[in-house]
Amino acid sequence: MTDIFLSTTTRDVPIVPERAALLFIDVQNFSCHRDGAEWAMMEPVERQEKMDPFLETFDQDVAPRMQALQSACRTAGVEVMYTTIESLTLDGRDRSLDYKITGFNIPKGSWDGKVIDAIAPDEDEIVFPKSSSSVFVSTHIDYVLRNLGVQQLILSGVLTDQCVESAIRDACDLGYLVTQVTDACMTFSEARQAASINAIKGYCRQVTTDEIISELA
């Protein structure tokens, strides 16, 4: 496979499907399902404040956009990938120090570590279990993307201002052109979402779900 392009002057490069991958970040039962362990870990007051508003918006608005994005990328021939927070061990001894301090341990093979049913991976799509905020730190995704000839990354997921931002910055530093699908990313409040979108815009091209689907079509 030969290089189709390698932009060194702009991030505003339309998606070339054979050189692109869609990555869903942490769209998993742990945090995107009502029975997920993240909600059970929260103090009752915090859970009451966050869970219903987050899941209602996610289920009604964000998950359908993710489904549409996934379908459009599959149809266009864009590689579709996933990363979820999941330890490589049952007791989580391989986790990052940050996750140990936070108390996150999603045991290897657990239901919490699975991608939600709404965007379940096809049998030949790649899922990277990660044990740190950035997928580029605790998985071999960079190696795999380079083997696939990927130069462009389309990113969607949760939380916008945490693991999504980490992936965007690291992908940029590693030489990928990043497109963030802003309305297919989500965090715990509109204020946090807006602040993150504004803060990270210097690292990536930002589009809506409708815009990227039109582009791929």
Side-chain angles (χ1 to χ4, degrees):
M1 187 182 293
T2 58
D3 284 344
I4 294 173
F5 72 89
L6 182 58
S7 170
T8 59
T9 59
T10 180
R11 296 179 180 87
D12 294 323
V13 179
I15 297 298
V16 178
E18 57 266 42
R19 284 299 190 185
L22 167 64
L23 177 64
F24 287 111
I25 298 172
D26 300 354
V27 189
Q28 61 189 96
N29 292 327
F30 174 72
S31 52
C32 297
H33 191 286
R34 189 165 294 276
D35 296 329
E38 182 168 23
W39 310 113
M41 289 171 55
M42 291 182 182
E43 294 295 328
V45 172
E46 183 183 14
R47 183 165 61 248
Q48 183 177 7
E49 175 187 331
K50 290 181 176 179
M51 185 172 75
D52 285 344
F54 180 90
L55 291 177
E56 286 171 8
T57 300
F58 179 82
D59 291 341
Q60 293 173 14
D61 299 329
V62 180
R65 293 188 194 116
M66 290 176 170
Q67 290 175 313
L69 179 61
Q70 180 189 57
S71 177
C73 284
R74 285 172 173 171
T75 298
V78 174
E79 191 81 34
V80 180
M81 299 177 166
Y82 313 77
T83 187
T84 65
I85 302 168
E86 183 183 356
S87 299
L88 300 176
T89 56
L90 295 177
D91 64 5
R93 61 187 182 275
D94 61 291
R95 289 171 295 165
S96 67
L97 175 60
D98 176 64
Y99 277 14
K100 287 174 180 173
I101 292 171
T102 303
F104 284 168
N105 177 37
I106 302 174
K108 175 179 69 174
S110 65
W111 175 83
D112 279 295
K114 303 300 182 187
V115 177
I116 62 170
D117 289 343
I119 57 163
D122 280 352
E123 61 181 1
D124 201 33
E125 292 175 343
I126 299 169
V127 182
F128 297 95
K130 69 182 177 73
S131 53
S132 65
S133 293
S134 175
V135 63
F136 287 95
V137 170
S138 54
T139 81
H140 61 311
I141 188 172
D142 182 49
Y143 169 80
V144 173
L145 291 172
R146 295 187 191 282
N147 287 349
L148 293 168
V150 169
Q151 294 175 311
Q152 293 177 296
L153 274 180
I154 305 166
L155 296 187
S156 166
V158 300
L159 295 169
T160 312
D161 53 349
Q162 294 185 11
C163 295
V164 174
E165 273 198 25
S166 294
I168 291 173
R169 287 190 173 87
D170 286 348
C172 289
D173 283 346
L174 289 166
Y176 297 96
L177 291 174
V178 179
T179 296
Q180 180 187 26
V181 188
T182 54
D183 61 353
C185 296
M186 187 177 177
T187 189
F188 284 126
S189 71
E190 291 182 7
R192 283 177 56 171
Q193 178 81 357
S196 176
I197 296 299
N198 184 62
I200 204 68
K201 65 184 178 183
Y203 291 83
C204 59
R205 181 177 72 136
Q206 294 178 324
V207 299
T208 65
T209 302
D210 287 344
E211 288 170 342
I212 194 73
I213 288 174
S214 295
E215 182 177 300
L216 290 169

